[in-house]
PDB file of all heavy atoms in Angstrom:
ATOM      1  N   THR D1320     -27.459 -15.369  -0.493  1.00  0.00           N
ATOM      2  CA  THR D1320     -27.420 -16.792  -0.851  1.00  0.00           C
ATOM      3  C   THR D1320     -26.406 -17.497   0.035  1.00  0.00           C
ATOM      4  O   THR D1320     -25.248 -17.084   0.113  1.00  0.00           O
ATOM      5  CB  THR D1320     -27.027 -16.960  -2.321  1.00  0.00           C
ATOM      6  OG1 THR D1320     -27.980 -16.278  -3.139  1.00  0.00           O
ATOM      7  CG2 THR D1320     -27.016 -18.437  -2.693  1.00  0.00           C
ATOM      8  N   ASP D1321     -26.846 -18.562   0.717  1.00  0.00           N
ATOM      9  CA  ASP D1321     -25.966 -19.218   1.682  1.00  0.00           C
ATOM     10  C   ASP D1321     -25.816 -20.713   1.403  1.00  0.00           C
ATOM     11  O   ASP D1321     -26.637 -21.327   0.721  1.00  0.00           O
ATOM     12  CB  ASP D1321     -26.460 -18.992   3.113  1.00  0.00           C
ATOM     13  CG  ASP D1321     -27.914 -19.390   3.328  1.00  0.00           C
ATOM     14  OD1 ASP D1321     -28.439 -20.193   2.531  1.00  0.00           O
ATOM     15  OD2 ASP D1321     -28.523 -18.883   4.283  1.00  0.00           O
ATOM     16  N   THR D1322     -24.736 -21.271   1.932  1.00  0.00           N
ATOM     17  CA  THR D1322     -24.416 -22.693   1.810  1.00  0.00           C
ATOM     18  C   THR D1322     -23.906 -23.166   3.157  1.00  0.00           C
ATOM     19  O   THR D1322     -23.171 -22.436   3.825  1.00  0.00           O
ATOM     20  CB  THR D1322     -23.323 -22.916   0.748  1.00  0.00           C
ATOM     21  OG1 THR D1322     -23.752 -22.364  -0.500  1.00  0.00           O
ATOM     22  CG2 THR D1322     -23.040 -24.400   0.561  1.00  0.00           C
ATOM     23  N   TYR D1323     -24.288 -24.406   3.534  1.00  0.00           N
ATOM     24  CA  TYR D1323     -23.866 -24.967   4.816  1.00  0.00           C
ATOM     25  C   TYR D1323     -23.260 -26.355   4.637  1.00  0.00           C
ATOM     26  O   TYR D1323     -23.682 -27.116   3.757  1.00  0.00           O
ATOM     27  CB  TYR D1323     -25.055 -25.086   5.775  1.00  0.00           C
ATOM     28  CG  TYR D1323     -25.674 -23.779   6.171  1.00  0.00           C
ATOM     29  CD1 TYR D1323     -26.724 -23.228   5.441  1.00  0.00           C
ATOM     30  CD2 TYR D1323     -25.208 -23.080   7.289  1.00  0.00           C
ATOM     31  CE1 TYR D1323     -27.283 -22.020   5.803  1.00  0.00           C
ATOM     32  CE2 TYR D1323     -25.775 -21.868   7.657  1.00  0.00           C
ATOM     33  CZ  TYR D1323     -26.810 -21.346   6.911  1.00  0.00           C
ATOM     34  OH  TYR D1323     -27.369 -20.142   7.274  1.00  0.00           O
ATOM     35  N   ALA D1324     -22.329 -26.676   5.497  1.00  0.00           N
ATOM     36  CA  ALA D1324     -21.866 -28.052   5.594  1.00  0.00           C
ATOM     37  C   ALA D1324     -23.017 -28.904   6.133  1.00  0.00           C
ATOM     38  O   ALA D1324     -23.814 -28.435   6.961  1.00  0.00           O
ATOM     39  CB  ALA D1324     -20.666 -28.143   6.529  1.00  0.00           C
ATOM     40  N   ASP D1325     -23.103 -30.137   5.683  1.00  0.00           N
ATOM     41  CA  ASP D1325     -24.190 -31.017   6.127  1.00  0.00           C
ATOM     42  C   ASP D1325     -24.205 -31.164   7.644  1.00  0.00           C
ATOM     43  O   ASP D1325     -25.271 -31.278   8.257  1.00  0.00           O
ATOM     44  CB  ASP D1325     -24.055 -32.402   5.474  1.00  0.00           C
ATOM     45  CG  ASP D1325     -24.389 -32.381   3.998  1.00  0.00           C
ATOM     46  OD1 ASP D1325     -25.027 -31.414   3.534  1.00  0.00           O
ATOM     47  OD2 ASP D1325     -24.008 -33.341   3.297  1.00  0.00           O
ATOM     48  N   SER D1326     -23.035 -31.144   8.257  1.00  0.00           N
ATOM     49  CA  SER D1326     -22.934 -31.377   9.695  1.00  0.00           C
ATOM     50  C   SER D1326     -23.533 -30.259  10.536  1.00  0.00           C
ATOM     51  O   SER D1326     -23.788 -30.457  11.733  1.00  0.00           O
ATOM     52  CB  SER D1326     -21.470 -31.589  10.092  1.00  0.00           C
ATOM     53  OG  SER D1326     -20.700 -30.450   9.750  1.00  0.00           O
ATOM     54  N   VAL D1327     -23.761 -29.091   9.947  1.00  0.00           N
ATOM     55  CA  VAL D1327     -24.283 -27.960  10.725  1.00  0.00           C
ATOM     56  C   VAL D1327     -25.649 -27.495  10.258  1.00  0.00           C
ATOM     57  O   VAL D1327     -26.250 -26.611  10.880  1.00  0.00           O
ATOM     58  CB  VAL D1327     -23.291 -26.774  10.718  1.00  0.00           C
ATOM     59  CG1 VAL D1327     -21.908 -27.221  11.171  1.00  0.00           C
ATOM     60  CG2 VAL D1327     -23.241 -26.098   9.363  1.00  0.00           C
ATOM     61  N   LYS D1328     -26.172 -28.076   9.185  1.00  0.00           N
ATOM     62  CA  LYS D1328     -27.475 -27.660   8.675  1.00  0.00           C
ATOM     63  C   LYS D1328     -28.545 -27.814   9.747  1.00  0.00           C
ATOM     64  O   LYS D1328     -28.610 -28.817  10.442  1.00  0.00           O
ATOM     65  CB  LYS D1328     -27.843 -28.502   7.445  1.00  0.00           C
ATOM     66  CG  LYS D1328     -27.144 -28.078   6.176  1.00  0.00           C
ATOM     67  CD  LYS D1328     -27.583 -28.943   4.993  1.00  0.00           C
ATOM     68  CE  LYS D1328     -26.858 -28.535   3.722  1.00  0.00           C
ATOM     69  NZ  LYS D1328     -27.214 -29.406   2.580  1.00  0.00           N
ATOM     70  N   GLY D1329     -29.385 -26.791   9.866  1.00  0.00           N
ATOM     71  CA  GLY D1329     -30.447 -26.815  10.857  1.00  0.00           C
ATOM     72  C   GLY D1329     -30.034 -26.350  12.233  1.00  0.00           C
ATOM     73  O   GLY D1329     -30.884 -26.132  13.100  1.00  0.00           O
ATOM     74  N   ARG D1330     -28.724 -26.204  12.456  1.00  0.00           N
ATOM     75  CA  ARG D1330     -28.230 -25.764  13.766  1.00  0.00           C
ATOM     76  C   ARG D1330     -27.531 -24.409  13.689  1.00  0.00           C
ATOM     77  O   ARG D1330     -27.593 -23.609  14.624  1.00  0.00           O
ATOM     78  CB  ARG D1330     -27.261 -26.791  14.340  1.00  0.00           C
ATOM     79  CG  ARG D1330     -27.856 -28.163  14.539  1.00  0.00           C
ATOM     80  CD  ARG D1330     -26.888 -29.097  15.283  1.00  0.00           C
ATOM     81  NE  ARG D1330     -25.647 -29.319  14.544  1.00  0.00           N
ATOM     82  CZ  ARG D1330     -24.435 -29.035  15.013  1.00  0.00           C
ATOM     83  NH1 ARG D1330     -24.295 -28.491  16.214  1.00  0.00           N
ATOM     84  NH2 ARG D1330     -23.355 -29.305  14.285  1.00  0.00           N
ATOM     85  N   PHE D1331     -26.828 -24.157  12.590  1.00  0.00           N
ATOM     86  CA  PHE D1331     -26.080 -22.908  12.420  1.00  0.00           C
ATOM     87  C   PHE D1331     -26.774 -22.031  11.394  1.00  0.00           C
ATOM     88  O   PHE D1331     -27.364 -22.528  10.424  1.00  0.00           O
ATOM     89  CB  PHE D1331     -24.660 -23.188  11.927  1.00  0.00           C
ATOM     90  CG  PHE D1331     -23.748 -23.866  12.906  1.00  0.00           C
ATOM     91  CD1 PHE D1331     -24.217 -24.403  14.094  1.00  0.00           C
ATOM     92  CD2 PHE D1331     -22.393 -23.968  12.641  1.00  0.00           C
ATOM     93  CE1 PHE D1331     -23.369 -25.029  14.999  1.00  0.00           C
ATOM     94  CE2 PHE D1331     -21.529 -24.591  13.514  1.00  0.00           C
ATOM     95  CZ  PHE D1331     -22.021 -25.129  14.693  1.00  0.00           C
ATOM     96  N   THR D1332     -26.678 -20.719  11.595  1.00  0.00           N
ATOM     97  CA  THR D1332     -27.218 -19.757  10.640  1.00  0.00           C
ATOM     98  C   THR D1332     -26.179 -18.687  10.362  1.00  0.00           C
ATOM     99  O   THR D1332     -25.653 -18.068  11.301  1.00  0.00           O
ATOM    100  CB  THR D1332     -28.496 -19.098  11.172  1.00  0.00           C
ATOM    101  OG1 THR D1332     -29.470 -20.108  11.462  1.00  0.00           O
ATOM    102  CG2 THR D1332     -29.074 -18.141  10.138  1.00  0.00           C
ATOM    103  N   ILE D1333     -25.887 -18.469   9.085  1.00  0.00           N
ATOM    104  CA  ILE D1333     -24.944 -17.422   8.689  1.00  0.00           C
ATOM    105  C   ILE D1333     -25.734 -16.238   8.159  1.00  0.00           C
ATOM    106  O   ILE D1333     -26.767 -16.409   7.487  1.00  0.00           O
ATOM    107  CB  ILE D1333     -23.942 -17.957   7.635  1.00  0.00           C
ATOM    108  CG1 ILE D1333     -22.801 -16.967   7.422  1.00  0.00           C
ATOM    109  CG2 ILE D1333     -24.633 -18.318   6.326  1.00  0.00           C
ATOM    110  CD1 ILE D1333     -21.647 -17.524   6.593  1.00  0.00           C
ATOM    111  N   SER D1334     -25.282 -15.043   8.484  1.00  0.00           N
ATOM    112  CA  SER D1334     -25.960 -13.837   8.021  1.00  0.00           C
ATOM    113  C   SER D1334     -24.936 -12.736   7.762  1.00  0.00           C
ATOM    114  O   SER D1334     -23.780 -12.833   8.199  1.00  0.00           O
ATOM    115  CB  SER D1334     -27.008 -13.381   9.033  1.00  0.00           C
ATOM    116  OG  SER D1334     -26.419 -13.087  10.283  1.00  0.00           O
ATOM    117  N   ARG D1335     -25.371 -11.709   7.076  1.00  0.00           N
ATOM    118  CA  ARG D1335     -24.486 -10.597   6.719  1.00  0.00           C
ATOM    119  C   ARG D1335     -25.025  -9.288   7.263  1.00  0.00           C
ATOM    120  O   ARG D1335     -26.242  -9.081   7.366  1.00  0.00           O
ATOM    121  CB  ARG D1335     -24.377 -10.478   5.184  1.00  0.00           C
ATOM    122  CG  ARG D1335     -23.631 -11.556   4.492  1.00  0.00           C
ATOM    123  CD  ARG D1335     -22.136 -11.461   4.750  1.00  0.00           C
ATOM    124  NE  ARG D1335     -21.566 -10.200   4.336  1.00  0.00           N
ATOM    125  CZ  ARG D1335     -21.077  -9.974   3.123  1.00  0.00           C
ATOM    126  NH1 ARG D1335     -21.096 -10.935   2.197  1.00  0.00           N
ATOM    127  NH2 ARG D1335     -20.548  -8.803   2.816  1.00  0.00           N
ATOM    128  N   ASP D1336     -24.092  -8.406   7.601  1.00  0.00           N
ATOM    129  CA  ASP D1336     -24.381  -6.997   7.845  1.00  0.00           C
ATOM    130  C   ASP D1336     -23.602  -6.256   6.764  1.00  0.00           C
ATOM    131  O   ASP D1336     -22.432  -5.928   6.953  1.00  0.00           O
ATOM    132  CB  ASP D1336     -23.949  -6.596   9.249  1.00  0.00           C
ATOM    133  CG  ASP D1336     -24.222  -5.122   9.539  1.00  0.00           C
ATOM    134  OD1 ASP D1336     -24.493  -4.362   8.591  1.00  0.00           O
ATOM    135  OD2 ASP D1336     -24.148  -4.741  10.714  1.00  0.00           O
ATOM    136  N   ASN D1337     -24.234  -6.039   5.624  1.00  0.00           N
ATOM    137  CA  ASN D1337     -23.516  -5.494   4.479  1.00  0.00           C
ATOM    138  C   ASN D1337     -22.982  -4.089   4.742  1.00  0.00           C
ATOM    139  O   ASN D1337     -21.954  -3.700   4.186  1.00  0.00           O
ATOM    140  CB  ASN D1337     -24.419  -5.497   3.244  1.00  0.00           C
ATOM    141  CG  ASN D1337     -24.660  -6.907   2.711  1.00  0.00           C
ATOM    142  OD1 ASN D1337     -23.802  -7.776   2.822  1.00  0.00           O
ATOM    143  ND2 ASN D1337     -25.832  -7.130   2.149  1.00  0.00           N
ATOM    144  N   ALA D1338     -23.644  -3.327   5.595  1.00  0.00           N
ATOM    145  CA  ALA D1338     -23.194  -1.973   5.884  1.00  0.00           C
ATOM    146  C   ALA D1338     -21.812  -1.968   6.546  1.00  0.00           C
ATOM    147  O   ALA D1338     -21.032  -1.040   6.369  1.00  0.00           O
ATOM    148  CB  ALA D1338     -24.206  -1.264   6.769  1.00  0.00           C
ATOM    149  N   ARG D1339     -21.528  -3.032   7.318  1.00  0.00           N
ATOM    150  CA  ARG D1339     -20.230  -3.134   8.012  1.00  0.00           C
ATOM    151  C   ARG D1339     -19.310  -4.163   7.360  1.00  0.00           C
ATOM    152  O   ARG D1339     -18.223  -4.421   7.881  1.00  0.00           O
ATOM    153  CB  ARG D1339     -20.442  -3.516   9.479  1.00  0.00           C
ATOM    154  CG  ARG D1339     -21.214  -2.516  10.292  1.00  0.00           C
ATOM    155  CD  ARG D1339     -21.104  -2.841  11.775  1.00  0.00           C
ATOM    156  NE  ARG D1339     -21.614  -4.156  12.107  1.00  0.00           N
ATOM    157  CZ  ARG D1339     -20.884  -5.127  12.659  1.00  0.00           C
ATOM    158  NH1 ARG D1339     -19.606  -4.948  12.918  1.00  0.00           N
ATOM    159  NH2 ARG D1339     -21.433  -6.296  12.951  1.00  0.00           N
ATOM    160  N   ASN D1340     -19.753  -4.745   6.242  1.00  0.00           N
ATOM    161  CA  ASN D1340     -18.986  -5.845   5.645  1.00  0.00           C
ATOM    162  C   ASN D1340     -18.748  -6.955   6.663  1.00  0.00           C
ATOM    163  O   ASN D1340     -17.690  -7.592   6.671  1.00  0.00           O
ATOM    164  CB  ASN D1340     -17.629  -5.362   5.102  1.00  0.00           C
ATOM    165  CG  ASN D1340     -17.723  -4.834   3.685  1.00  0.00           C
ATOM    166  OD1 ASN D1340     -18.488  -5.347   2.873  1.00  0.00           O
ATOM    167  ND2 ASN D1340     -16.957  -3.798   3.397  1.00  0.00           N
ATOM    168  N   ALA D1341     -19.737  -7.179   7.519  1.00  0.00           N
ATOM    169  CA  ALA D1341     -19.592  -8.160   8.590  1.00  0.00           C
ATOM    170  C   ALA D1341     -20.356  -9.432   8.261  1.00  0.00           C
ATOM    171  O   ALA D1341     -21.339  -9.414   7.509  1.00  0.00           O
ATOM    172  CB  ALA D1341     -20.097  -7.582   9.904  1.00  0.00           C
ATOM    173  N   VAL D1342     -19.897 -10.524   8.844  1.00  0.00           N
ATOM    174  CA  VAL D1342     -20.591 -11.802   8.719  1.00  0.00           C
ATOM    175  C   VAL D1342     -20.747 -12.388  10.116  1.00  0.00           C
ATOM    176  O   VAL D1342     -19.842 -12.294  10.948  1.00  0.00           O
ATOM    177  CB  VAL D1342     -19.832 -12.766   7.786  1.00  0.00           C
ATOM    178  CG1 VAL D1342     -18.441 -13.092   8.291  1.00  0.00           C
ATOM    179  CG2 VAL D1342     -20.635 -14.040   7.545  1.00  0.00           C
ATOM    180  N   ILE D1343     -21.922 -12.936  10.387  1.00  0.00           N
ATOM    181  CA  ILE D1343     -22.253 -13.490  11.695  1.00  0.00           C
ATOM    182  C   ILE D1343     -22.586 -14.963  11.551  1.00  0.00           C
ATOM    183  O   ILE D1343     -23.242 -15.360  10.586  1.00  0.00           O
ATOM    184  CB  ILE D1343     -23.450 -12.738  12.316  1.00  0.00           C
ATOM    185  CG1 ILE D1343     -23.061 -11.276  12.565  1.00  0.00           C
ATOM    186  CG2 ILE D1343     -23.883 -13.372  13.616  1.00  0.00           C
ATOM    187  CD1 ILE D1343     -23.495 -10.329  11.484  1.00  0.00           C
ATOM    188  N   LEU D1344     -22.142 -15.753  12.507  1.00  0.00           N
ATOM    189  CA  LEU D1344     -22.495 -17.172  12.535  1.00  0.00           C
ATOM    190  C   LEU D1344     -23.171 -17.452  13.876  1.00  0.00           C
ATOM    191  O   LEU D1344     -22.526 -17.410  14.921  1.00  0.00           O
ATOM    192  CB  LEU D1344     -21.249 -18.051  12.371  1.00  0.00           C
ATOM    193  CG  LEU D1344     -21.527 -19.552  12.245  1.00  0.00           C
ATOM    194  CD1 LEU D1344     -22.249 -19.850  10.927  1.00  0.00           C
ATOM    195  CD2 LEU D1344     -20.231 -20.349  12.331  1.00  0.00           C
ATOM    196  N   GLN D1345     -24.464 -17.721  13.823  1.00  0.00           N
ATOM    197  CA  GLN D1345     -25.226 -18.101  15.013  1.00  0.00           C
ATOM    198  C   GLN D1345     -25.200 -19.618  15.104  1.00  0.00           C
ATOM    199  O   GLN D1345     -25.655 -20.299  14.178  1.00  0.00           O
ATOM    200  CB  GLN D1345     -26.660 -17.595  14.922  1.00  0.00           C
ATOM    201  CG  GLN D1345     -27.530 -17.999  16.099  1.00  0.00           C
ATOM    202  CD  GLN D1345     -27.092 -17.360  17.397  1.00  0.00           C
ATOM    203  OE1 GLN D1345     -26.760 -16.180  17.439  1.00  0.00           O
ATOM    204  NE2 GLN D1345     -27.081 -18.143  18.467  1.00  0.00           N
ATOM    205  N   MET D1346     -24.654 -20.125  16.190  1.00  0.00           N
ATOM    206  CA  MET D1346     -24.499 -21.565  16.370  1.00  0.00           C
ATOM    207  C   MET D1346     -25.369 -22.025  17.524  1.00  0.00           C
ATOM    208  O   MET D1346     -25.157 -21.604  18.667  1.00  0.00           O
ATOM    209  CB  MET D1346     -23.028 -21.911  16.636  1.00  0.00           C
ATOM    210  CG  MET D1346     -22.077 -21.373  15.574  1.00  0.00           C
ATOM    211  SD  MET D1346     -20.366 -21.906  15.802  1.00  0.00           S
ATOM    212  CE  MET D1346     -19.979 -21.044  17.332  1.00  0.00           C
ATOM    213  N   ASN D1347     -26.351 -22.853  17.237  1.00  0.00           N
ATOM    214  CA  ASN D1347     -27.256 -23.393  18.239  1.00  0.00           C
ATOM    215  C   ASN D1347     -27.081 -24.905  18.333  1.00  0.00           C
ATOM    216  O   ASN D1347     -26.512 -25.538  17.445  1.00  0.00           O
ATOM    217  CB  ASN D1347     -28.700 -23.055  17.880  1.00  0.00           C
ATOM    218  CG  ASN D1347     -28.964 -21.571  17.837  1.00  0.00           C
ATOM    219  OD1 ASN D1347     -28.370 -20.789  18.582  1.00  0.00           O
ATOM    220  ND2 ASN D1347     -29.871 -21.157  16.959  1.00  0.00           N
ATOM    221  N   SER D1348     -27.605 -25.468  19.407  1.00  0.00           N
ATOM    222  CA  SER D1348     -27.547 -26.920  19.614  1.00  0.00           C
ATOM    223  C   SER D1348     -26.132 -27.456  19.392  1.00  0.00           C
ATOM    224  O   SER D1348     -25.922 -28.452  18.695  1.00  0.00           O
ATOM    225  CB  SER D1348     -28.525 -27.635  18.667  1.00  0.00           C
ATOM    226  OG  SER D1348     -29.848 -27.179  18.864  1.00  0.00           O
ATOM    227  N   LEU D1349     -25.176 -26.799  19.994  1.00  0.00           N
ATOM    228  CA  LEU D1349     -23.773 -27.154  19.786  1.00  0.00           C
ATOM    229  C   LEU D1349     -23.464 -28.535  20.337  1.00  0.00           C
ATOM    230  O   LEU D1349     -24.031 -28.981  21.342  1.00  0.00           O
ATOM    231  CB  LEU D1349     -22.870 -26.112  20.438  1.00  0.00           C
ATOM    232  CG  LEU D1349     -22.728 -24.819  19.626  1.00  0.00           C
ATOM    233  CD1 LEU D1349     -22.245 -23.670  20.493  1.00  0.00           C
ATOM    234  CD2 LEU D1349     -21.782 -25.037  18.446  1.00  0.00           C
ATOM    235  N   LYS D1350     -22.560 -29.207  19.630  1.00  0.00           N
ATOM    236  CA  LYS D1350     -22.150 -30.561  19.986  1.00  0.00           C
ATOM    237  C   LYS D1350     -20.646 -30.567  20.255  1.00  0.00           C
ATOM    238  O   LYS D1350     -19.914 -29.717  19.735  1.00  0.00           O
ATOM    239  CB  LYS D1350     -22.445 -31.520  18.829  1.00  0.00           C
ATOM    240  CG  LYS D1350     -23.892 -31.548  18.380  1.00  0.00           C
ATOM    241  CD  LYS D1350     -24.060 -32.447  17.155  1.00  0.00           C
ATOM    242  CE  LYS D1350     -25.504 -32.474  16.680  1.00  0.00           C
ATOM    243  NZ  LYS D1350     -25.673 -33.353  15.491  1.00  0.00           N
ATOM    244  N   PRO D1351     -20.156 -31.535  21.029  1.00  0.00           N
ATOM    245  CA  PRO D1351     -18.703 -31.604  21.268  1.00  0.00           C
ATOM    246  C   PRO D1351     -17.897 -31.668  19.969  1.00  0.00           C
ATOM    247  O   PRO D1351     -16.784 -31.123  19.915  1.00  0.00           O
ATOM    248  CB  PRO D1351     -18.553 -32.887  22.084  1.00  0.00           C
ATOM    249  CG  PRO D1351     -19.853 -33.002  22.827  1.00  0.00           C
ATOM    250  CD  PRO D1351     -20.895 -32.502  21.860  1.00  0.00           C
ATOM    251  N   GLU D1352     -18.450 -32.277  18.939  1.00  0.00           N
ATOM    252  CA  GLU D1352     -17.714 -32.365  17.667  1.00  0.00           C
ATOM    253  C   GLU D1352     -17.640 -31.036  16.926  1.00  0.00           C
ATOM    254  O   GLU D1352     -16.957 -30.938  15.904  1.00  0.00           O
ATOM    255  CB  GLU D1352     -18.333 -33.441  16.754  1.00  0.00           C
ATOM    256  CG  GLU D1352     -19.831 -33.345  16.568  1.00  0.00           C
ATOM    257  CD  GLU D1352     -20.605 -34.253  17.513  1.00  0.00           C
ATOM    258  OE1 GLU D1352     -20.259 -34.319  18.716  1.00  0.00           O
ATOM    259  OE2 GLU D1352     -21.576 -34.877  17.030  1.00  0.00           O
ATOM    260  N   ASP D1353     -18.310 -30.006  17.422  1.00  0.00           N
ATOM    261  CA  ASP D1353     -18.168 -28.668  16.857  1.00  0.00           C
ATOM    262  C   ASP D1353     -16.936 -27.949  17.406  1.00  0.00           C
ATOM    263  O   ASP D1353     -16.604 -26.847  16.954  1.00  0.00           O
ATOM    264  CB  ASP D1353     -19.414 -27.819  17.162  1.00  0.00           C
ATOM    265  CG  ASP D1353     -20.662 -28.340  16.473  1.00  0.00           C
ATOM    266  OD1 ASP D1353     -20.571 -28.729  15.291  1.00  0.00           O
ATOM    267  OD2 ASP D1353     -21.727 -28.353  17.130  1.00  0.00           O
ATOM    268  N   THR D1354     -16.287 -28.551  18.380  1.00  0.00           N
ATOM    269  CA  THR D1354     -15.088 -27.950  18.963  1.00  0.00           C
ATOM    270  C   THR D1354     -14.002 -27.786  17.914  1.00  0.00           C
ATOM    271  O   THR D1354     -13.625 -28.746  17.227  1.00  0.00           O
ATOM    272  CB  THR D1354     -14.566 -28.822  20.121  1.00  0.00           C
ATOM    273  OG1 THR D1354     -15.531 -28.835  21.170  1.00  0.00           O
ATOM    274  CG2 THR D1354     -13.240 -28.283  20.649  1.00  0.00           C
ATOM    275  N   ALA D1355     -13.524 -26.557  17.738  1.00  0.00           N
ATOM    276  CA  ALA D1355     -12.521 -26.243  16.725  1.00  0.00           C
ATOM    277  C   ALA D1355     -12.153 -24.778  16.827  1.00  0.00           C
ATOM    278  O   ALA D1355     -12.785 -24.010  17.561  1.00  0.00           O
ATOM    279  CB  ALA D1355     -13.077 -26.531  15.324  1.00  0.00           C
ATOM    280  N   THR D1356     -11.139 -24.396  16.068  1.00  0.00           N
ATOM    281  CA  THR D1356     -10.858 -22.986  15.857  1.00  0.00           C
ATOM    282  C   THR D1356     -11.621 -22.558  14.613  1.00  0.00           C
ATOM    283  O   THR D1356     -11.503 -23.204  13.564  1.00  0.00           O
ATOM    284  CB  THR D1356      -9.363 -22.735  15.675  1.00  0.00           C
ATOM    285  OG1 THR D1356      -8.661 -23.207  16.828  1.00  0.00           O
ATOM    286  CG2 THR D1356      -9.089 -21.250  15.490  1.00  0.00           C
ATOM    287  N   TYR D1357     -12.394 -21.502  14.736  1.00  0.00           N
ATOM    288  CA  TYR D1357     -13.233 -21.025  13.647  1.00  0.00           C
ATOM    289  C   TYR D1357     -12.573 -19.806  13.003  1.00  0.00           C
ATOM    290  O   TYR D1357     -12.152 -18.873  13.699  1.00  0.00           O
ATOM    291  CB  TYR D1357     -14.630 -20.672  14.166  1.00  0.00           C
ATOM    292  CG  TYR D1357     -15.471 -21.894  14.431  1.00  0.00           C
ATOM    293  CD1 TYR D1357     -15.158 -22.764  15.471  1.00  0.00           C
ATOM    294  CD2 TYR D1357     -16.563 -22.199  13.617  1.00  0.00           C
ATOM    295  CE1 TYR D1357     -15.910 -23.909  15.703  1.00  0.00           C
ATOM    296  CE2 TYR D1357     -17.332 -23.342  13.851  1.00  0.00           C
ATOM    297  CZ  TYR D1357     -16.996 -24.185  14.886  1.00  0.00           C
ATOM    298  OH  TYR D1357     -17.751 -25.325  15.114  1.00  0.00           O
ATOM    299  N   TYR D1358     -12.515 -19.820  11.671  1.00  0.00           N
ATOM    300  CA  TYR D1358     -11.856 -18.769  10.903  1.00  0.00           C
ATOM    301  C   TYR D1358     -12.848 -18.118   9.946  1.00  0.00           C
ATOM    302  O   TYR D1358     -13.591 -18.803   9.234  1.00  0.00           O
ATOM    303  CB  TYR D1358     -10.705 -19.345  10.077  1.00  0.00           C
ATOM    304  CG  TYR D1358      -9.594 -19.942  10.885  1.00  0.00           C
ATOM    305  CD1 TYR D1358      -9.607 -21.289  11.227  1.00  0.00           C
ATOM    306  CD2 TYR D1358      -8.518 -19.166  11.317  1.00  0.00           C
ATOM    307  CE1 TYR D1358      -8.579 -21.858  11.958  1.00  0.00           C
ATOM    308  CE2 TYR D1358      -7.480 -19.727  12.049  1.00  0.00           C
ATOM    309  CZ  TYR D1358      -7.531 -21.073  12.369  1.00  0.00           C
ATOM    310  OH  TYR D1358      -6.508 -21.622  13.104  1.00  0.00           O
ATOM    311  N   CYS D1359     -12.784 -16.805   9.888  1.00  0.00           N
ATOM    312  CA  CYS D1359     -13.563 -16.036   8.930  1.00  0.00           C
ATOM    313  C   CYS D1359     -12.749 -15.902   7.645  1.00  0.00           C
ATOM    314  O   CYS D1359     -11.521 -15.801   7.683  1.00  0.00           O
ATOM    315  CB  CYS D1359     -13.855 -14.670   9.532  1.00  0.00           C
ATOM    316  SG  CYS D1359     -14.791 -13.578   8.489  1.00  0.00           S
ATOM    317  N   ASN D1360     -13.433 -15.865   6.519  1.00  0.00           N
ATOM    318  CA  ASN D1360     -12.753 -15.856   5.218  1.00  0.00           C
ATOM    319  C   ASN D1360     -13.484 -14.966   4.227  1.00  0.00           C
ATOM    320  O   ASN D1360     -14.724 -14.930   4.213  1.00  0.00           O
ATOM    321  CB  ASN D1360     -12.680 -17.292   4.694  1.00  0.00           C
ATOM    322  CG  ASN D1360     -12.303 -17.393   3.238  1.00  0.00           C
ATOM    323  OD1 ASN D1360     -13.152 -17.594   2.364  1.00  0.00           O
ATOM    324  ND2 ASN D1360     -11.023 -17.240   2.952  1.00  0.00           N
TER     325      ASN D1360
END
């Protein structure tokens, strides 16, 4: 079950690799306003 900020809906996809306890963020159609430091939580 996933949730997205409105600003990234349709462009970003979050997924899990439960075997590794990993989370992936695929970011497409990136915009200059996406510039930031990204933190996993």
Side-chain angles (χ1 to χ4, degrees):
T1320 301
D1321 54 21
T1322 303
Y1323 296 91
D1325 288 343
S1326 60
V1327 307
K1328 282 181 181 177
R1330 300 187 298 121
F1331 291 10
T1332 302
I1333 191 170
S1334 60
R1335 290 288 302 270
D1336 179 346
N1337 289 328
R1339 297 192 300 120
N1340 274 324
V1342 61
I1343 296 97
L1344 186 67
Q1345 178 66 42
M1346 306 185 293
N1347 298 327
S1348 302
L1349 282 160
K1350 303 175 181 180
E1352 50 264 43
D1353 294 318
T1354 295
T1356 302
Y1357 284 68
Y1358 297 91
C1359 179
N1360 166 259

